């Protein structure tokens, strides 16, 4: 035998590992979790060693030799490997792609896990003893630099020293010349916020309810899952901060996962100002080096807290103590393409495996989490009241059937806006539809301008002077005439945020107006600037889409307007009403957060809709209980489990042939196992044609996870073999959050 055989996961769509001979120079040092460079076809690939064995099923002359092992220490530690193995099995996703998802891009490419070096400075012994006042009197910036060293007791880089003033570099050179400071080169790492930033934050005294929650989480030993249910502004973040402080005292790290849009500079500032530790931030806007830096800070234990979006659930932690999932109901916690995992569900698994508590926070918990509470698996903690002086807002429904409407706004809503602006309040207006108008109508023949590649209408964007499809991104210039009949009478129909903004500018020309949606926040840092305009009070009216619903703290907003409540009321997805209720409660929660009482105005064509009534009269909890009964009767999650098999192809038949073959294979598998699993479909997706592809799906329904998994494993193997699968693109989505 020529040495040990490595079982390697390589990024391919196959649900299997590949065997390689150990590299010549490995000295038997191969370990699970190390990255290894291997020949794959004609190319070289970076893979992960999943196992080492003495034998292989591959004939010895066919076995290729790995080129080199890239890590001295495994890039993925044993705990992470266990998490990823479980995820690959549970989500039926190829292990190579699952491991890749857990690695920063730089490491996927095979670079060493170092992040370059940086120049820094530190005090010399002379510097420590130098007369601060004398120096500060003659050279202000030098004085400030010495003060920074004194406050942090640390080695400082450019990022921190530049706080001393624009001429910091001249000042630091002067200090080096005097022998008070020395210049060194060290491996790049994340900086901790200076103590000056921290002194500003005096933590509020916890309310009795917060105290109960804090004590419960702090005294948890080992794994324990908590639902922290608290209306917006009830002080959930404050609870997290207190628990994290305790973790830091015990020298333990906390991992905090937030929704995509929740990771604002405001949130990061709040954490940095409060916590006496370095905070590592992980989100999709980072470049490869920044990401690697944060990943290493988590792994090496330099960061006391790691805050990140979804994929941060895979970050290695040197001394894990606590996992927090903020806004646990948010759909962005589920990856919707490729490796379709739920960061929330993986957090609970990881917490159990690491034996640390997991806190799921939300004002509007997902039904899945409520079900886990009902079953006694999670401990329920609740913050029923707002922290500080804030009260719940008054909610008013406006019946659109009995009100003339102009530019999307009824008279009572306009009056309310004017009243709040005059009383120096801030107004937030929610309309979950970007663009100018959602359709362009020909007044002569009645045709609506459609996307050529999707079953959808083109949305008019006036600012860019284009029609844009929100589903495939297709753009075309505004037509001069109707594409169907040639008449020039084209009418924009309906309201988008762009149109609403221009109407508001006409109505309130002297008030600061800020629009927050995907069109106005494309540039990096733009969302932060806009939020700052709202917080500083420069903007008096803020309008926008879903982006407004995510956890921002705007203390001066006194009125929230929901322009169109009916968008989600009659959705095709069984979760439509849950989502609508969540958006409602989240938006309404923006009103009156601080000392001023808030009002919420809601425009609807269906003021008697039972869902709206329950939600407004009794709140989210009773609404959820009522809606859960419907779910149980219909066999929908969380009262059952679902898996979705999606297929798409430019040829309609190719997608549906595959789905029909997949269904036949499912019937076979079930005949053998006798399990009670229901197969629904094939059916076209709710929007059948998208970006020129026809899309269909098969829905699998089972009573329990065990049943579902017993079915999926053999079925997935059969799918890989289907000839029809070569002509269609397909994917498996376990616990889908969207049914299309
Ligand atoms: P949530 O995360 O539930 O939206 P936050 O923790 O952000 O709530 O708190 C909302 C506001 O109330 C913040 O401005 C916070 O500083 C303040 N706050 C939180 N807890 C208290 C408390 N116990 N006393 C006074 N103010 C508080
Ligand atoms: Zn399109």
């Amino acid at each position: 035998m020529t040495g040990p055989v490595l079982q390697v996961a390589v990024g391919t769509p196959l649900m299997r590992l590949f065997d390689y001979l150990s590299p010549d120079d490995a000295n038997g040092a191969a370990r699970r979790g190390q990255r290894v460079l291997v020949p794959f076809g004609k190319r070289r690939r970076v893979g992960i060693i999943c196992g080492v064995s003495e034998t292989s099923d591959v004939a010895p002359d066919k076995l290729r030799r790995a080129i080199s092992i890239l890590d001295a220490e495994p890039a993925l530690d044993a705990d992470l490997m266990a998490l990823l193995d479980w995820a690959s099995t549970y989500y039926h996703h190829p292990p190579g792609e699952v491991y890749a998802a857990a690695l920063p891009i730089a490491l996927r490419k095979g670079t060493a896990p170092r992040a370059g070096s940086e120049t820094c400075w530190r005090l010399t012994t002379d510097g420590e003893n130098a007369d601060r006042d004398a120096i500060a009197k003659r050279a202000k910036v030098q004085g400030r630099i010495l003060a920074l060293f004194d406050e942090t007791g640390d080695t400082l880089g450019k990022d921190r020293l530049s706080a001393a003033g624009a001429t910091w570099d001249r000042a630091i050179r002067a200090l080096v010349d005097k022998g008070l400071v020395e210049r060194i080169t060290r491996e790049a790492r994340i900086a901790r916020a200076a103590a000056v930033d921290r002194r500003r934050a005096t933590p509020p005294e916890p309310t009795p309810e917060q105290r109960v929650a804090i004590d419960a989480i702090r005294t948890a030993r080992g794994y324990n899952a908590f639902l922290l249910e608290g209306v917006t502004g009830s002080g959930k973040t404050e609870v997290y901060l207190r628990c994290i402080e305790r973790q830091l005292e015990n020298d333990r790290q906390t991992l905090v996962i937030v929704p995509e849009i929740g990771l604002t500079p405001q949130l990061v500032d709040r954490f940095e100002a409060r916590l006496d530790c370095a905070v590592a931030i992980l989100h999709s806007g980072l470049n490869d080096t920044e990401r690697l830096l944060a990943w290493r800070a988590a792994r090496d234990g330099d960061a006391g807290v790691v805050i990140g979006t979804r994929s941060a659930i895979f970050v290695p932690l040197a001394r894990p103590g606590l996992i927090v999932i903020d806004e646990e109901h948010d759909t962005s916690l589920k990856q919707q393409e490729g490796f379709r995992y739920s960061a929330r569900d993986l957090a609970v698994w990881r917490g159990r495996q690491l034996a640390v508590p997991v806190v799921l926070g939300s004002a509007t918990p997902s039904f899945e989490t409520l079900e886990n509470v009902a079953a006694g698996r999670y401990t329920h903690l609740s913050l029923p009241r707002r922290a500080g002086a804030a009260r719940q807002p008054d909610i008013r429904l406006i019946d659109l059937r009995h009100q003339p409407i102009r530019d999307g706004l009824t008279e009572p809503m306009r009056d309310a806006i004017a009243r709040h602006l005059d009383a120096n309040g801030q107004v937030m207006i929610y309309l979950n539809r970007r663009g100018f108008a959602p359709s362009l109508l020909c007044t002569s023949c009645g045709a609506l301008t459609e996307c050529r590649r999707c079953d959808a209408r083109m949305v008019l964007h006036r600012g860019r002077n284009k029609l844009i499809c929100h589903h495939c991104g297709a753009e075309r210039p505004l037509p001069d005439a109707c594409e169907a009949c040639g008449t020039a009478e084209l009418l924009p129909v309906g309201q988008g945020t762009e149109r609403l903004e221009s109407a508001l500018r006409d109505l309130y020309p002297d008030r600061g107006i800020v629009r927050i949606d995907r069109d106005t926040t494309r540039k990096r840092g733009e969302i932060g600037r806009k939020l700052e305009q709202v917080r500083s009070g420069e903007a008096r009216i803020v309008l926008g889409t879903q982006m407004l619903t995510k956890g921002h703290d705007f203390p001066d907003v006194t009125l929230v307007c929901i322009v169109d409540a009916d968008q989600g009321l009659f959705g095709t997805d069984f979760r439509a009403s849950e989502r609508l209720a969540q958006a409602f409660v989240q938006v309404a929660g923006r009103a009156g957060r601080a000392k001023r009482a808030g009002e919420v105005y809601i425009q609807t064509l269906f003021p008697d809709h039972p869902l709206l009534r329950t939600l407004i009269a009794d709140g989210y909890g009773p609404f959820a209980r009522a809606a859960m009964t419907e779910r149980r009767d219909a066999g929908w999650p969380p009262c059952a489990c679902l898996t979705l098999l999606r297929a798409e192809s430019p040829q309609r038949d190719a997608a549906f042939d595959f789905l029909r073959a997949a269904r036949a294979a499912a019937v076979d598998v079930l005949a053998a196992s006798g399990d009670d699993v229901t197969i629904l479909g094939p059916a076209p997706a709710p929007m059948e044609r998208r970006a020129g592809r026809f899309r269909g799906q098969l829905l699998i329904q089972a009573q329990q996870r065990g049943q579902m998994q017993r079915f999926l494993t053999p079925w997935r193997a059969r799918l890989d073999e289907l000839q029809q699968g070569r002509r269609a693109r397909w994917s498996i989505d376990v616990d889908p959050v969207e049914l299309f």
Side-chain angles (χ1 to χ4, degrees), residues 74-85:
L76 297 169
D77 63 34
D79 287 335
L80 272 177
M81 287 297 282
L83 174 73
L84 296 166
D85 286 346

Side-chain angles (χ1 to χ4, degrees), residues 241-274:
L241 287 167
R242 292 266 175 178
C243 296
I244 295 170
E245 278 169 349
R246 172 59 58 86
Q247 293 296 333
L248 292 173
E249 286 163 20
N250 296 335
D251 200 24
R252 297 268 155 192
Q253 295 169 288
T254 302
L255 174 60
V256 182
I257 307 279
V258 299
E260 261 150 29
I261 208 69
L263 191 50
T264 57
Q266 185 189 343
L267 180 87
V268 174
D269 288 351
R270 189 167 167 195
F271 273 67
E272 289 197 325
R274 257 302 269 291

Side-chain angles (χ1 to χ4, degrees), residues 204-207 210 230-240 270 326-327 383 387-389 551 553 555 590 593:
E205 194 53 38
T207 61
Q210 281 173 323
V231 295
T232 21
S234 60
K236 293 186 293 299
T237 311
E238 195 51 44
V239 171
Y240 307 152
R270 189 167 167 195
D326 191 27
E327 311 283 354
L383 303 177
D553 189 14
R590 306 297 128 205
R593 289 199 64 166

Side-chain angles (χ1 to χ4, degrees), residues 55-87:
T55 57
S56 169
D57 293 340
V58 182
D61 56 324
K62 292 263 163 58
L63 213 48
R64 301 176 77 179
R65 192 171 287 284
I67 298 158
S68 67
I69 291 175
L70 299 172
D71 299 310
E73 282 302 304
L76 297 169
D77 63 34
D79 287 335
L80 272 177
M81 287 297 282
L83 174 73
L84 296 166
D85 286 346
W86 182 82

Side-chain angles (χ1 to χ4, degrees), residues 524-545:
R524 193 176 176 177
E526 198 61 43
I527 176 121
R529 273 191 288 282
K530 297 210 180 274
L531 292 173
E532 189 47 44
Q533 282 172 24
V534 182
R535 275 201 304 158
S536 70
E538 182 191 334
R540 303 316 302 168
I541 299 178
V542 49
L543 80 150
T545 56

Side-chain angles (χ1 to χ4, degrees), residues 26 84 144 290 297 350 445 548 662 727:
L84 296 166
R144 267 189 241 134
E290 291 167 327
R350 196 172 179 193
C445 75
L548 288 181
R727 291 181 55 227

Side-chain angles (χ1 to χ4, degrees), residues 81-96:
M81 287 297 282
L83 174 73
L84 296 166
D85 286 346
W86 182 82
S88 169
T89 309
Y90 181 81
Y91 291 108
H92 297 271
H93 198 76

